[in-house]
PDB file of all heavy atoms in Angstrom:
ATOM      1  N   GLY A   1      -8.470 -10.076  13.523  1.00  0.00           N
ATOM      2  CA  GLY A   1      -9.466 -10.209  12.484  1.00  0.00           C
ATOM      3  C   GLY A   1      -9.624  -8.939  11.673  1.00  0.00           C
ATOM      4  O   GLY A   1     -10.628  -8.789  10.934  1.00  0.00           O
ATOM      5  N   ILE A   2      -8.752  -8.049  11.731  1.00  0.00           N
ATOM      6  CA  ILE A   2      -8.925  -6.753  10.977  1.00  0.00           C
ATOM      7  C   ILE A   2      -8.372  -6.873   9.568  1.00  0.00           C
ATOM      8  O   ILE A   2      -7.282  -7.409   9.405  1.00  0.00           O
ATOM      9  CB  ILE A   2      -8.151  -5.615  11.701  1.00  0.00           C
ATOM     10  CG1 ILE A   2      -8.797  -5.356  13.079  1.00  0.00           C
ATOM     11  CG2 ILE A   2      -8.132  -4.332  10.938  1.00  0.00           C
ATOM     12  CD1 ILE A   2      -8.029  -4.490  13.979  1.00  0.00           C
ATOM     13  N   GLU A   3      -9.172  -6.581   8.550  1.00  0.00           N
ATOM     14  CA  GLU A   3      -8.719  -6.502   7.163  1.00  0.00           C
ATOM     15  C   GLU A   3      -7.644  -5.528   6.935  1.00  0.00           C
ATOM     16  O   GLU A   3      -7.741  -4.356   7.325  1.00  0.00           O
ATOM     17  CB  GLU A   3      -9.871  -6.351   6.182  1.00  0.00           C
ATOM     18  CG  GLU A   3      -9.421  -6.403   4.732  1.00  0.00           C
ATOM     19  CD  GLU A   3     -10.550  -6.236   3.835  1.00  0.00           C
ATOM     20  OE1 GLU A   3     -11.603  -5.851   4.285  1.00  0.00           O
ATOM     21  OE2 GLU A   3     -10.331  -6.474   2.598  1.00  0.00           O
ATOM     22  N   ILE A   4      -6.473  -5.877   6.305  1.00  0.00           N
ATOM     23  CA  ILE A   4      -5.352  -4.971   6.200  1.00  0.00           C
ATOM     24  C   ILE A   4      -5.092  -4.717   4.763  1.00  0.00           C
ATOM     25  O   ILE A   4      -4.938  -5.681   3.943  1.00  0.00           O
ATOM     26  CB  ILE A   4      -4.122  -5.550   6.889  1.00  0.00           C
ATOM     27  CG1 ILE A   4      -4.353  -5.792   8.371  1.00  0.00           C
ATOM     28  CG2 ILE A   4      -2.922  -4.641   6.708  1.00  0.00           C
ATOM     29  CD1 ILE A   4      -3.537  -6.806   9.017  1.00  0.00           C
ATOM     30  N   ILE A   5      -5.047  -3.477   4.308  1.00  0.00           N
ATOM     31  CA  ILE A   5      -4.804  -3.061   2.991  1.00  0.00           C
ATOM     32  C   ILE A   5      -3.660  -2.120   2.889  1.00  0.00           C
ATOM     33  O   ILE A   5      -3.561  -1.184   3.769  1.00  0.00           O
ATOM     34  CB  ILE A   5      -5.960  -2.387   2.324  1.00  0.00           C
ATOM     35  CG1 ILE A   5      -7.283  -3.295   2.361  1.00  0.00           C
ATOM     36  CG2 ILE A   5      -5.728  -1.937   0.907  1.00  0.00           C
ATOM     37  CD1 ILE A   5      -8.236  -2.965   3.372  1.00  0.00           C
ATOM     38  N   THR A   6      -2.717  -2.335   2.065  1.00  0.00           N
ATOM     39  CA  THR A   6      -1.565  -1.333   1.908  1.00  0.00           C
ATOM     40  C   THR A   6      -1.633  -0.725   0.507  1.00  0.00           C
ATOM     41  O   THR A   6      -1.958  -1.477  -0.438  1.00  0.00           O
ATOM     42  CB  THR A   6      -0.239  -2.040   2.198  1.00  0.00           C
ATOM     43  OG1 THR A   6      -0.086  -3.185   1.278  1.00  0.00           O
ATOM     44  CG2 THR A   6      -0.109  -2.600   3.586  1.00  0.00           C
ATOM     45  N   SER A   7      -1.259   0.546   0.506  1.00  0.00           N
ATOM     46  CA  SER A   7      -1.321   1.189  -0.894  1.00  0.00           C
ATOM     47  C   SER A   7      -0.078   2.072  -1.005  1.00  0.00           C
ATOM     48  O   SER A   7       0.558   2.390  -0.010  1.00  0.00           O
ATOM     49  CB  SER A   7      -2.517   2.027  -1.012  1.00  0.00           C
ATOM     50  OG  SER A   7      -2.499   3.123  -0.150  1.00  0.00           O
ATOM     51  N   GLY A   8       0.322   2.383  -2.286  1.00  0.00           N
ATOM     52  CA  GLY A   8       1.333   3.223  -2.530  1.00  0.00           C
ATOM     53  C   GLY A   8       2.721   2.712  -2.194  1.00  0.00           C
ATOM     54  O   GLY A   8       3.636   3.468  -1.904  1.00  0.00           O
ATOM     55  N   VAL A   9       2.915   1.439  -2.166  1.00  0.00           N
ATOM     56  CA  VAL A   9       4.212   0.770  -1.794  1.00  0.00           C
ATOM     57  C   VAL A   9       5.153   0.888  -2.964  1.00  0.00           C
ATOM     58  O   VAL A   9       4.851   0.482  -4.107  1.00  0.00           O
ATOM     59  CB  VAL A   9       4.028  -0.626  -1.399  1.00  0.00           C
ATOM     60  CG1 VAL A   9       5.336  -1.276  -1.089  1.00  0.00           C
ATOM     61  CG2 VAL A   9       3.109  -0.733  -0.119  1.00  0.00           C
ATOM     62  N   ARG A  10       6.310   1.342  -2.768  1.00  0.00           N
ATOM     63  CA  ARG A  10       7.370   1.491  -3.790  1.00  0.00           C
ATOM     64  C   ARG A  10       8.100   0.131  -3.925  1.00  0.00           C
ATOM     65  O   ARG A  10       8.089  -0.582  -2.914  1.00  0.00           O
ATOM     66  CB  ARG A  10       8.317   2.689  -3.421  1.00  0.00           C
ATOM     67  CG  ARG A  10       7.543   3.994  -3.533  1.00  0.00           C
ATOM     68  CD  ARG A  10       8.587   5.136  -3.372  1.00  0.00           C
ATOM     69  NE  ARG A  10       7.848   6.353  -3.566  1.00  0.00           N
ATOM     70  CZ  ARG A  10       7.822   7.341  -2.612  1.00  0.00           C
ATOM     71  NH1 ARG A  10       8.454   7.205  -1.388  1.00  0.00           N
ATOM     72  NH2 ARG A  10       7.149   8.379  -2.893  1.00  0.00           N
ATOM     73  N   PRO A  11       8.764  -0.046  -5.021  1.00  0.00           N
ATOM     74  CA  PRO A  11       9.495  -1.308  -5.085  1.00  0.00           C
ATOM     75  C   PRO A  11      10.515  -1.655  -4.050  1.00  0.00           C
ATOM     76  O   PRO A  11      10.549  -2.785  -3.516  1.00  0.00           O
ATOM     77  CB  PRO A  11      10.293  -1.193  -6.455  1.00  0.00           C
ATOM     78  CG  PRO A  11       9.376  -0.244  -7.231  1.00  0.00           C
ATOM     79  CD  PRO A  11       8.906   0.746  -6.229  1.00  0.00           C
ATOM     80  N   LYS A  12      11.247  -0.699  -3.586  1.00  0.00           N
ATOM     81  CA  LYS A  12      12.205  -0.923  -2.466  1.00  0.00           C
ATOM     82  C   LYS A  12      11.491  -1.268  -1.188  1.00  0.00           C
ATOM     83  O   LYS A  12      11.963  -2.240  -0.449  1.00  0.00           O
ATOM     84  CB  LYS A  12      13.080   0.266  -2.245  1.00  0.00           C
ATOM     85  CG  LYS A  12      14.272   0.053  -1.277  1.00  0.00           C
ATOM     86  CD  LYS A  12      15.231   1.256  -1.239  1.00  0.00           C
ATOM     87  CE  LYS A  12      16.321   1.037  -0.226  1.00  0.00           C
ATOM     88  NZ  LYS A  12      17.188   2.187  -0.065  1.00  0.00           N
ATOM     89  N   GLN A  13      10.362  -0.569  -0.885  1.00  0.00           N
ATOM     90  CA  GLN A  13       9.586  -0.900   0.266  1.00  0.00           C
ATOM     91  C   GLN A  13       8.989  -2.310   0.170  1.00  0.00           C
ATOM     92  O   GLN A  13       8.925  -3.044   1.153  1.00  0.00           O
ATOM     93  CB  GLN A  13       8.526   0.155   0.479  1.00  0.00           C
ATOM     94  CG  GLN A  13       9.126   1.612   0.764  1.00  0.00           C
ATOM     95  CD  GLN A  13       8.045   2.675   0.533  1.00  0.00           C
ATOM     96  OE1 GLN A  13       7.069   2.434  -0.115  1.00  0.00           O
ATOM     97  NE2 GLN A  13       8.348   3.764   1.143  1.00  0.00           N
ATOM     98  N   ALA A  14       8.558  -2.589  -1.001  1.00  0.00           N
ATOM     99  CA  ALA A  14       7.894  -3.866  -1.200  1.00  0.00           C
ATOM    100  C   ALA A  14       8.863  -5.031  -0.983  1.00  0.00           C
ATOM    101  O   ALA A  14       8.539  -6.037  -0.336  1.00  0.00           O
ATOM    102  CB  ALA A  14       7.330  -3.994  -2.670  1.00  0.00           C
ATOM    103  N   LYS A  15      10.131  -4.873  -1.401  1.00  0.00           N
ATOM    104  CA  LYS A  15      11.083  -5.879  -1.209  1.00  0.00           C
ATOM    105  C   LYS A  15      11.399  -6.050   0.292  1.00  0.00           C
ATOM    106  O   LYS A  15      11.429  -7.214   0.856  1.00  0.00           O
ATOM    107  CB  LYS A  15      12.445  -5.370  -1.825  1.00  0.00           C
ATOM    108  CG  LYS A  15      13.501  -6.461  -1.720  1.00  0.00           C
ATOM    109  CD  LYS A  15      14.709  -6.078  -2.524  1.00  0.00           C
ATOM    110  CE  LYS A  15      15.902  -7.118  -2.270  1.00  0.00           C
ATOM    111  NZ  LYS A  15      17.138  -6.755  -2.808  1.00  0.00           N
ATOM    112  N   MET A  16      11.425  -4.942   1.137  1.00  0.00           N
ATOM    113  CA  MET A  16      11.661  -5.076   2.479  1.00  0.00           C
ATOM    114  C   MET A  16      10.463  -5.756   3.134  1.00  0.00           C
ATOM    115  O   MET A  16      10.724  -6.638   4.018  1.00  0.00           O
ATOM    116  CB  MET A  16      11.861  -3.658   3.144  1.00  0.00           C
ATOM    117  CG  MET A  16      13.179  -3.042   2.662  1.00  0.00           C
ATOM    118  SD  MET A  16      13.286  -1.304   3.349  1.00  0.00           S
ATOM    119  CE  MET A  16      13.640  -1.631   4.990  1.00  0.00           C
ATOM    120  N   LEU A  17       9.255  -5.398   2.772  1.00  0.00           N
ATOM    121  CA  LEU A  17       8.028  -6.036   3.362  1.00  0.00           C
ATOM    122  C   LEU A  17       8.006  -7.503   3.085  1.00  0.00           C
ATOM    123  O   LEU A  17       7.675  -8.355   3.838  1.00  0.00           O
ATOM    124  CB  LEU A  17       6.783  -5.300   2.879  1.00  0.00           C
ATOM    125  CG  LEU A  17       6.646  -3.967   3.427  1.00  0.00           C
ATOM    126  CD1 LEU A  17       5.434  -3.258   2.677  1.00  0.00           C
ATOM    127  CD2 LEU A  17       6.372  -3.888   4.849  1.00  0.00           C
ATOM    128  N   HIS A  18       8.377  -7.826   1.785  1.00  0.00           N
ATOM    129  CA  HIS A  18       8.306  -9.192   1.316  1.00  0.00           C
ATOM    130  C   HIS A  18       9.287 -10.099   2.172  1.00  0.00           C
ATOM    131  O   HIS A  18       9.002 -11.212   2.564  1.00  0.00           O
ATOM    132  CB  HIS A  18       8.673  -9.413  -0.111  1.00  0.00           C
ATOM    133  CG  HIS A  18       8.760 -10.762  -0.613  1.00  0.00           C
ATOM    134  ND1 HIS A  18       7.648 -11.566  -0.679  1.00  0.00           N
ATOM    135  CD2 HIS A  18       9.793 -11.595  -0.928  1.00  0.00           C
ATOM    136  CE1 HIS A  18       8.020 -12.756  -1.227  1.00  0.00           C
ATOM    137  NE2 HIS A  18       9.307 -12.690  -1.317  1.00  0.00           N
ATOM    138  N   GLU A  19      10.499  -9.609   2.457  1.00  0.00           N
ATOM    139  CA  GLU A  19      11.414 -10.309   3.231  1.00  0.00           C
ATOM    140  C   GLU A  19      11.041 -10.590   4.569  1.00  0.00           C
ATOM    141  O   GLU A  19      11.611 -11.504   5.346  1.00  0.00           O
ATOM    142  CB  GLU A  19      12.783  -9.515   3.254  1.00  0.00           C
ATOM    143  CG  GLU A  19      13.468  -9.411   1.834  1.00  0.00           C
ATOM    144  CD  GLU A  19      14.598  -8.431   1.833  1.00  0.00           C
ATOM    145  OE1 GLU A  19      14.796  -7.794   2.800  1.00  0.00           O
ATOM    146  OE2 GLU A  19      15.359  -8.331   0.771  1.00  0.00           O
ATOM    147  N   LEU A  20      10.036  -9.817   5.096  1.00  0.00           N
ATOM    148  CA  LEU A  20       9.705 -10.032   6.564  1.00  0.00           C
ATOM    149  C   LEU A  20       8.456 -10.910   6.731  1.00  0.00           C
ATOM    150  O   LEU A  20       7.943 -11.068   7.835  1.00  0.00           O
ATOM    151  CB  LEU A  20       9.358  -8.625   7.149  1.00  0.00           C
ATOM    152  CG  LEU A  20      10.607  -7.744   7.244  1.00  0.00           C
ATOM    153  CD1 LEU A  20      10.237  -6.316   7.750  1.00  0.00           C
ATOM    154  CD2 LEU A  20      11.664  -8.396   8.096  1.00  0.00           C
ATOM    155  N   ASN A  21       7.988 -11.518   5.694  1.00  0.00           N
ATOM    156  CA  ASN A  21       6.861 -12.484   5.757  1.00  0.00           C
ATOM    157  C   ASN A  21       5.621 -12.033   6.445  1.00  0.00           C
ATOM    158  O   ASN A  21       5.210 -12.526   7.428  1.00  0.00           O
ATOM    159  CB  ASN A  21       7.358 -13.821   6.427  1.00  0.00           C
ATOM    160  CG  ASN A  21       8.542 -14.485   5.719  1.00  0.00           C
ATOM    161  OD1 ASN A  21       8.512 -14.509   4.401  1.00  0.00           O
ATOM    162  ND2 ASN A  21       9.474 -14.961   6.417  1.00  0.00           N
ATOM    163  N   LEU A  22       5.047 -11.041   5.768  1.00  0.00           N
ATOM    164  CA  LEU A  22       3.743 -10.543   6.348  1.00  0.00           C
ATOM    165  C   LEU A  22       2.685 -11.611   6.207  1.00  0.00           C
ATOM    166  O   LEU A  22       2.825 -12.607   5.346  1.00  0.00           O
ATOM    167  CB  LEU A  22       3.288  -9.328   5.497  1.00  0.00           C
ATOM    168  CG  LEU A  22       3.993  -8.001   5.671  1.00  0.00           C
ATOM    169  CD1 LEU A  22       3.523  -7.053   4.600  1.00  0.00           C
ATOM    170  CD2 LEU A  22       3.860  -7.471   7.050  1.00  0.00           C
ATOM    171  N   PRO A  23       1.601 -11.563   7.094  1.00  0.00           N
ATOM    172  CA  PRO A  23       0.509 -12.527   6.836  1.00  0.00           C
ATOM    173  C   PRO A  23       0.062 -12.534   5.445  1.00  0.00           C
ATOM    174  O   PRO A  23      -0.104 -11.443   4.824  1.00  0.00           O
ATOM    175  CB  PRO A  23      -0.484 -12.058   7.815  1.00  0.00           C
ATOM    176  CG  PRO A  23       0.191 -11.283   8.868  1.00  0.00           C
ATOM    177  CD  PRO A  23       1.337 -10.674   8.102  1.00  0.00           C
ATOM    178  N   LEU A  24      -0.328 -13.674   4.976  1.00  0.00           N
ATOM    179  CA  LEU A  24      -0.716 -13.798   3.551  1.00  0.00           C
ATOM    180  C   LEU A  24      -2.026 -13.090   3.152  1.00  0.00           C
ATOM    181  O   LEU A  24      -2.266 -12.736   2.065  1.00  0.00           O
ATOM    182  CB  LEU A  24      -0.967 -15.323   3.100  1.00  0.00           C
ATOM    183  CG  LEU A  24       0.355 -16.154   3.147  1.00  0.00           C
ATOM    184  CD1 LEU A  24      -0.002 -17.634   2.893  1.00  0.00           C
ATOM    185  CD2 LEU A  24       1.368 -15.630   2.167  1.00  0.00           C
ATOM    186  N   GLN A  25      -2.808 -12.767   4.180  1.00  0.00           N
ATOM    187  CA  GLN A  25      -4.050 -12.042   3.978  1.00  0.00           C
ATOM    188  C   GLN A  25      -3.885 -10.499   3.823  1.00  0.00           C
ATOM    189  O   GLN A  25      -4.870  -9.857   3.712  1.00  0.00           O
ATOM    190  CB  GLN A  25      -5.105 -12.416   5.021  1.00  0.00           C
ATOM    191  CG  GLN A  25      -5.640 -13.881   4.941  1.00  0.00           C
ATOM    192  CD  GLN A  25      -4.651 -14.841   5.519  1.00  0.00           C
ATOM    193  OE1 GLN A  25      -3.560 -14.472   6.089  1.00  0.00           O
ATOM    194  NE2 GLN A  25      -4.939 -16.096   5.280  1.00  0.00           N
ATOM    195  N   VAL A  26      -2.702  -9.984   3.884  1.00  0.00           N
ATOM    196  CA  VAL A  26      -2.599  -8.590   3.624  1.00  0.00           C
ATOM    197  C   VAL A  26      -2.806  -8.287   2.195  1.00  0.00           C
ATOM    198  O   VAL A  26      -2.172  -8.909   1.349  1.00  0.00           O
ATOM    199  CB  VAL A  26      -1.104  -8.133   4.084  1.00  0.00           C
ATOM    200  CG1 VAL A  26      -0.916  -6.663   3.706  1.00  0.00           C
ATOM    201  CG2 VAL A  26      -0.983  -8.312   5.548  1.00  0.00           C
ATOM    202  N   SER A  27      -3.635  -7.324   1.880  1.00  0.00           N
ATOM    203  CA  SER A  27      -3.859  -6.950   0.473  1.00  0.00           C
ATOM    204  C   SER A  27      -3.107  -5.750   0.088  1.00  0.00           C
ATOM    205  O   SER A  27      -2.900  -4.851   0.851  1.00  0.00           O
ATOM    206  CB  SER A  27      -5.371  -6.615   0.243  1.00  0.00           C
ATOM    207  OG  SER A  27      -6.212  -7.609   0.594  1.00  0.00           O
ATOM    208  N   PHE A  28      -2.579  -5.774  -1.163  1.00  0.00           N
ATOM    209  CA  PHE A  28      -1.819  -4.643  -1.682  1.00  0.00           C
ATOM    210  C   PHE A  28      -2.651  -4.060  -2.811  1.00  0.00           C
ATOM    211  O   PHE A  28      -3.164  -4.762  -3.668  1.00  0.00           O
ATOM    212  CB  PHE A  28      -0.429  -5.070  -2.169  1.00  0.00           C
ATOM    213  CG  PHE A  28       0.415  -5.462  -1.067  1.00  0.00           C
ATOM    214  CD1 PHE A  28       0.511  -6.744  -0.528  1.00  0.00           C
ATOM    215  CD2 PHE A  28       1.324  -4.491  -0.526  1.00  0.00           C
ATOM    216  CE1 PHE A  28       1.316  -6.981   0.467  1.00  0.00           C
ATOM    217  CE2 PHE A  28       2.212  -4.801   0.468  1.00  0.00           C
ATOM    218  CZ  PHE A  28       2.241  -6.092   0.970  1.00  0.00           C
ATOM    219  N   ILE A  29      -2.738  -2.684  -2.831  1.00  0.00           N
ATOM    220  CA  ILE A  29      -3.403  -2.064  -3.949  1.00  0.00           C
ATOM    221  C   ILE A  29      -2.538  -0.893  -4.392  1.00  0.00           C
ATOM    222  O   ILE A  29      -1.721  -0.358  -3.553  1.00  0.00           O
ATOM    223  CB  ILE A  29      -4.771  -1.528  -3.465  1.00  0.00           C
ATOM    224  CG1 ILE A  29      -5.650  -1.224  -4.658  1.00  0.00           C
ATOM    225  CG2 ILE A  29      -4.681  -0.472  -2.510  1.00  0.00           C
ATOM    226  CD1 ILE A  29      -7.095  -1.157  -4.339  1.00  0.00           C
ATOM    227  N   HIS A  30      -2.525  -0.556  -5.631  1.00  0.00           N
ATOM    228  CA  HIS A  30      -1.578   0.396  -6.308  1.00  0.00           C
ATOM    229  C   HIS A  30      -1.529   1.772  -5.537  1.00  0.00           C
ATOM    230  O   HIS A  30      -0.454   2.257  -5.235  1.00  0.00           O
ATOM    231  CB  HIS A  30      -1.844   0.535  -7.780  1.00  0.00           C
ATOM    232  CG  HIS A  30      -0.850   1.334  -8.431  1.00  0.00           C
ATOM    233  ND1 HIS A  30       0.507   1.105  -8.638  1.00  0.00           N
ATOM    234  CD2 HIS A  30      -1.066   2.593  -9.060  1.00  0.00           C
ATOM    235  CE1 HIS A  30       1.052   2.097  -9.273  1.00  0.00           C
ATOM    236  NE2 HIS A  30       0.114   2.993  -9.464  1.00  0.00           N
ATOM    237  N   SER A  31      -2.701   2.342  -5.433  1.00  0.00           N
ATOM    238  CA  SER A  31      -2.673   3.781  -4.971  1.00  0.00           C
ATOM    239  C   SER A  31      -3.726   3.989  -3.945  1.00  0.00           C
ATOM    240  O   SER A  31      -4.721   3.306  -3.895  1.00  0.00           O
ATOM    241  CB  SER A  31      -2.941   4.716  -6.194  1.00  0.00           C
ATOM    242  OG  SER A  31      -4.218   4.662  -6.699  1.00  0.00           O
ATOM    243  N   LEU A  32      -3.613   5.129  -3.236  1.00  0.00           N
ATOM    244  CA  LEU A  32      -4.676   5.496  -2.249  1.00  0.00           C
ATOM    245  C   LEU A  32      -5.921   5.848  -2.968  1.00  0.00           C
ATOM    246  O   LEU A  32      -6.995   5.405  -2.384  1.00  0.00           O
ATOM    247  CB  LEU A  32      -4.140   6.762  -1.492  1.00  0.00           C
ATOM    248  CG  LEU A  32      -5.035   7.377  -0.443  1.00  0.00           C
ATOM    249  CD1 LEU A  32      -5.473   6.210   0.630  1.00  0.00           C
ATOM    250  CD2 LEU A  32      -4.487   8.498   0.168  1.00  0.00           C
ATOM    251  N   GLN A  33      -5.846   6.439  -4.047  1.00  0.00           N
ATOM    252  CA  GLN A  33      -7.086   6.744  -4.937  1.00  0.00           C
ATOM    253  C   GLN A  33      -7.881   5.455  -5.217  1.00  0.00           C
ATOM    254  O   GLN A  33      -9.097   5.370  -5.023  1.00  0.00           O
ATOM    255  CB  GLN A  33      -6.748   7.395  -6.211  1.00  0.00           C
ATOM    256  CG  GLN A  33      -7.924   7.916  -6.901  1.00  0.00           C
ATOM    257  CD  GLN A  33      -7.580   8.616  -8.205  1.00  0.00           C
ATOM    258  OE1 GLN A  33      -6.372   8.718  -8.594  1.00  0.00           O
ATOM    259  NE2 GLN A  33      -8.484   9.272  -8.868  1.00  0.00           N
ATOM    260  N   GLN A  34      -7.124   4.341  -5.558  1.00  0.00           N
ATOM    261  CA  GLN A  34      -7.835   3.143  -5.879  1.00  0.00           C
ATOM    262  C   GLN A  34      -8.431   2.486  -4.671  1.00  0.00           C
ATOM    263  O   GLN A  34      -9.458   1.912  -4.657  1.00  0.00           O
ATOM    264  CB  GLN A  34      -6.849   2.106  -6.588  1.00  0.00           C
ATOM    265  CG  GLN A  34      -6.527   2.505  -7.972  1.00  0.00           C
ATOM    266  CD  GLN A  34      -5.510   1.559  -8.541  1.00  0.00           C
ATOM    267  OE1 GLN A  34      -4.777   0.871  -7.908  1.00  0.00           O
ATOM    268  NE2 GLN A  34      -5.382   1.478  -9.929  1.00  0.00           N
ATOM    269  N   ALA A  35      -7.655   2.558  -3.507  1.00  0.00           N
ATOM    270  CA  ALA A  35      -8.161   2.016  -2.212  1.00  0.00           C
ATOM    271  C   ALA A  35      -9.421   2.760  -1.860  1.00  0.00           C
ATOM    272  O   ALA A  35     -10.431   2.063  -1.418  1.00  0.00           O
ATOM    273  CB  ALA A  35      -7.033   2.135  -1.137  1.00  0.00           C
ATOM    274  N   ILE A  36      -9.454   4.107  -1.898  1.00  0.00           N
ATOM    275  CA  ILE A  36     -10.666   4.833  -1.491  1.00  0.00           C
ATOM    276  C   ILE A  36     -11.835   4.446  -2.469  1.00  0.00           C
ATOM    277  O   ILE A  36     -12.974   4.247  -1.894  1.00  0.00           O
ATOM    278  CB  ILE A  36     -10.390   6.254  -1.536  1.00  0.00           C
ATOM    279  CG1 ILE A  36      -9.366   6.731  -0.394  1.00  0.00           C
ATOM    280  CG2 ILE A  36     -11.648   7.107  -1.454  1.00  0.00           C
ATOM    281  CD1 ILE A  36      -8.844   8.141  -0.439  1.00  0.00           C
ATOM    282  N   ALA A  37     -11.563   4.270  -3.716  1.00  0.00           N
ATOM    283  CA  ALA A  37     -12.671   3.972  -4.655  1.00  0.00           C
ATOM    284  C   ALA A  37     -13.218   2.550  -4.336  1.00  0.00           C
ATOM    285  O   ALA A  37     -14.379   2.366  -4.422  1.00  0.00           O
ATOM    286  CB  ALA A  37     -12.113   4.050  -6.110  1.00  0.00           C
ATOM    287  N   LYS A  38     -12.380   1.730  -3.998  1.00  0.00           N
ATOM    288  CA  LYS A  38     -12.760   0.296  -3.725  1.00  0.00           C
ATOM    289  C   LYS A  38     -13.382   0.055  -2.368  1.00  0.00           C
ATOM    290  O   LYS A  38     -14.392  -0.562  -2.252  1.00  0.00           O
ATOM    291  CB  LYS A  38     -11.566  -0.691  -3.869  1.00  0.00           C
ATOM    292  CG  LYS A  38     -11.854  -2.111  -3.683  1.00  0.00           C
ATOM    293  CD  LYS A  38     -10.777  -3.002  -3.934  1.00  0.00           C
ATOM    294  CE  LYS A  38     -11.167  -4.495  -3.884  1.00  0.00           C
ATOM    295  NZ  LYS A  38     -10.112  -5.395  -4.224  1.00  0.00           N
ATOM    296  N   TYR A  39     -12.780   0.733  -1.316  1.00  0.00           N
ATOM    297  CA  TYR A  39     -13.288   0.388  -0.010  1.00  0.00           C
ATOM    298  C   TYR A  39     -14.139   1.451   0.698  1.00  0.00           C
ATOM    299  O   TYR A  39     -14.700   1.218   1.755  1.00  0.00           O
ATOM    300  CB  TYR A  39     -12.035   0.151   0.917  1.00  0.00           C
ATOM    301  CG  TYR A  39     -11.369  -1.136   0.492  1.00  0.00           C
ATOM    302  CD1 TYR A  39     -10.159  -1.053  -0.235  1.00  0.00           C
ATOM    303  CD2 TYR A  39     -11.793  -2.333   0.867  1.00  0.00           C
ATOM    304  CE1 TYR A  39      -9.476  -2.163  -0.628  1.00  0.00           C
ATOM    305  CE2 TYR A  39     -11.113  -3.515   0.455  1.00  0.00           C
ATOM    306  CZ  TYR A  39     -10.000  -3.366  -0.257  1.00  0.00           C
ATOM    307  OH  TYR A  39      -9.299  -4.554  -0.680  1.00  0.00           O
ATOM    308  N   CYS A  40     -14.226   2.638   0.120  1.00  0.00           N
ATOM    309  CA  CYS A  40     -14.934   3.738   0.806  1.00  0.00           C
ATOM    310  C   CYS A  40     -16.130   4.306   0.021  1.00  0.00           C
ATOM    311  O   CYS A  40     -16.778   5.288   0.467  1.00  0.00           O
ATOM    312  CB  CYS A  40     -13.965   4.915   1.022  1.00  0.00           C
ATOM    313  SG  CYS A  40     -12.548   4.429   2.169  1.00  0.00           S
ATOM    314  N   THR A  41     -16.505   3.697  -1.094  1.00  0.00           N
ATOM    315  CA  THR A  41     -17.663   4.208  -1.836  1.00  0.00           C
ATOM    316  C   THR A  41     -18.649   3.143  -1.995  1.00  0.00           C
ATOM    317  O   THR A  41     -18.471   1.977  -1.775  1.00  0.00           O
ATOM    318  CB  THR A  41     -17.182   4.704  -3.183  1.00  0.00           C
ATOM    319  OG1 THR A  41     -16.609   3.713  -3.963  1.00  0.00           O
ATOM    320  CG2 THR A  41     -16.339   5.986  -3.077  1.00  0.00           C
TER     321      THR A  41
END
């Protein structure tokens, strides 16, 4: 039940992650700065 957020994923890494069928509820955000602004303030 832990919310999972990933940030800073590069295109090649995204392709690898996509091929492995992560749970659909995993959130992706562009940068660490955006993640901190959204979830830590």
Side-chain angles (χ1 to χ4, degrees):
I2 297 170
E3 182 179 8
I4 302 158
I5 300 103
T6 57
S7 67
V9 177
R10 294 187 175 122
K12 186 175 180 180
Q13 296 164 340
K15 182 179 177 185
M16 291 176 77
L17 291 170
H18 176 72
E19 291 171 355
L20 296 174
N21 299 320
L22 288 173
L24 293 176
Q25 288 76 9
V26 174
S27 300
F28 289 85
I29 197 160
H30 180 69
S31 69
L32 178 59
Q33 183 179 12
Q34 288 177 340
I36 290 170
K38 183 173 182 177
Y39 295 99
C40 298
T41 57

